[in-house]
Amino acid sequence: MFIALLVLGGVVGAAYVFRQVVVKGKRCTSEAKLHGRTVIVTGSNTGIGKTTAVDLAKRGARVILACRNRQRGEAALAHVKQESGSNQVVFMQLDLGNLKSVRSFAETFLRNEPRLDILINNAGIYMAGRTEDGLGMMFGINHVGHFLLTNLLMDRLKECEASRVVNVSSLGHNFGKIDFECLNKHKALGLGTSFMEVLQAYCNSKLCNVLFTHELAKRLQGTKVTCYSLHPGSINSELARNTNSLFQLLLKPITALFFKNTVQGCQTTLHCALQEGIEHLSGRYFSNCTVQEVYSKAKDDAAAKKLWEISERMCGLA
Ligand SMILES: NC(=O)c1ccc[n+]([C@@H]2O[C@H](COP(=O)([O-])OP(=O)(O)OC[C@H]3O[C@@H](n4cnc5c(N)ncnc54)[C@H](OP(=O)(O)O)[C@@H]3O)[C@@H](O)[C@H]2O)c1
Ligand SMILES: *[C@@H]1O[C@H](CO)[C@@H](O)[C@H](O)[C@H]1NC(C)=O
Ligand SMILES: *[C@@H]1O[C@H](CO)[C@@H](O)[C@H](O)[C@H]1NC(C)=O
């Protein structure tokens, strides 16, 4: 009995030390205050989007929670207000899987909000299927929806001078590839539904985020708007909720032990949104609150431009 307790204590202790030393990662050290500034966080009803929103609200920002589900969005609104002690928090409905919804969100926002200082493209999904517009689910939500949103809000960002766009990508982008033929034919970056095919399509959509940041930075040269993409770390969130239940069961102990919690998981997003003096790194990719080199496929000028043009056509901007 005593031995068993000792072993258990040892394991828990080791896990705690491991989490504190290895898993935790760097914190955003910026003390920036955001009174009078407006921020949008997409997908902020749960996961790292929600903890990002709480932090920004605490700093005094007016925070727009852009979420697709009204009930979940309003529950998050109450939570963020309570945690931050701020009443400058607003819920606005946005479904990134529906381009009409993106347009109507942008219209409402532009009509009601005079400023936009920080746009955080955080929402993401891990799931096979199609969006309402017939695009590949992950390509459509993780990439095209945000592409349209960012473009529709661009003038407001430019009006606010030193504003920023932050794209939550993933380490998975390293395994991504962009098959333009598949994109033209099927409006998707992968079609299968097997475990590996879904994983691959997720990585492809996340490579789009990095490439877009690369192209956007170029298009923003000469303005004061800067943009960043990032890997938040491996986080114990709801991202795997649409995978099969056996996989989720196996994943549970791993995420509990080896993954960051959502407060740790939002630090790199905060760093990209707030850290003073990183403007010269516009277009770059961050992880662990540090700028990182990417493979050449993630800064491929020609691919980034081509993807931009296809995306424009897909959401009727061109
Ligand atoms: N968790 C990780 O380990 C990890 C690693 C690398 C990158 N990331 C990235 O981090 C970001 C945040 O993920 P998370 O881990 O916090 O996951 P999460 O807990 O699943 O949160 C994702 C958020 O995105 C929202 N969303 C999904 N589809 C949407 C749509 N069509 N329109 C609007 N919002 C939508 C979800 O809303 P609903 O609740 O309504 O579904 C939810 O609020 C994602 O971009 C993800 O790819 C996560
Ligand atoms: C993050 O950076 C800190 C400080 O530079 C370092 O000690 C830590 O090991 C890094 N963590 C990861 C996961 O890279
Ligand atoms: C973020 O990614 C979206 C979709 O990939 C893209 O439309 C947008 O331009 C990107 N913004 C930045 C700053 O990279």
Side-chain angles (χ1 to χ4, degrees), residues 225-273:
V225 186
T226 55
C227 60
Y228 313 88
S229 66
L230 66 100
H231 170 57
S234 298
I235 300 136
N236 193 353
S237 73
E238 291 186 50
L239 192 62
R241 73 184 109 156
N242 297 305
T243 58
N244 82 44
S245 33
L246 177 65
F247 177 70
Q248 288 190 43
L249 201 69
L250 292 174
L251 198 64
K252 272 250 148 59
I254 302 177
T255 51
L257 212 55
F258 299 110
F259 283 24
K260 293 178 181 179
N261 63 34
T262 52
V263 171
Q264 295 162 346
C266 74
Q267 297 304 316
T268 303
T269 300
L270 293 171
H271 179 81
C272 291

Side-chain angles (χ1 to χ4, degrees), residues 27-43:
R27 282 193 80 85
C28 166
T29 53
S30 169
E31 293 185 350
K33 290 281 178 270
L34 298 173
H35 300 280
R37 305 287 175 90
T38 301
V39 180
I40 296 176
V41 188
T42 69

Side-chain angles (χ1 to χ4, degrees), residues 33-39 53 55-64 86-89 118:
K33 290 281 178 270
L34 298 173
H35 300 280
R37 305 287 175 90
T38 301
V39 180
D55 187 287
L56 297 171
K58 279 185 185 158
R59 294 170 188 264
R62 179 169 173 77
V63 179
I64 315 292
S86 163
N87 59 9
Q88 284 296 307
V89 189
I118 306 174

Side-chain angles (χ1 to χ4, degrees), residues 16-158:
Y16 179 78
V17 171
F18 180 78
R19 289 195 56 84
Q20 287 302 313
V21 175
V22 182
V23 176
K24 198 166 150 201
K26 261 180 158 169
R27 282 193 80 85
C28 166
T29 53
S30 169
E31 293 185 350
K33 290 281 178 270
L34 298 173
H35 300 280
R37 305 287 175 90
T38 301
V39 180
I40 296 176
V41 188
T42 69
S44 40
N45 57 276
T46 184
I48 57 177
K50 189 159 85 174
T51 48
T52 302
V54 169
D55 187 287
L56 297 171
K58 279 185 185 158
R59 294 170 188 264
R62 179 169 173 77
V63 179
I64 315 292
L65 308 177
C67 316
R68 61 174 161 177
N69 180 293
R70 179 163 291 275
Q71 214 181 340
R72 284 163 74 82
E74 280 171 357
L77 178 65
H79 173 92
V80 174
K81 277 185 172 170
Q82 197 192 357
E83 285 285 299
S84 64
S86 163
N87 59 9
Q88 284 296 307
V89 189
V90 182
F91 161 74
M92 280 175 63
Q93 213 258 334
L94 167 67
D95 182 352
L96 290 155
N98 177 336
L99 297 177
K100 243 206 223 142
S101 167
V102 176
R103 288 184 181 277
S104 101
F105 171 89
E107 256 168 48
T108 312
F109 178 86
L110 293 173
R111 198 174 336 111
N112 296 318
E113 300 290 336
R115 303 186 62 90
L116 179 56
D117 298 277
I118 306 174
L119 169 61
I120 301 186
N121 289 326
N122 164 82
I125 197 163
Y126 188 94
M127 189 181 171
R130 294 263 162 191
T131 69
E132 288 176 47
D133 305 300
L135 306 178
M137 184 75 87
M138 293 183 275
F139 173 68
I141 293 175
N142 300 352
H143 168 67
V144 182
H146 281 128
F147 174 83
L148 179 59
L149 180 69
T150 307
N151 276 287
L152 294 175
L153 300 178
M154 192 47 73
D155 286 341
R156 190 58 44 93
L157 283 160
K158 285 181 183 162

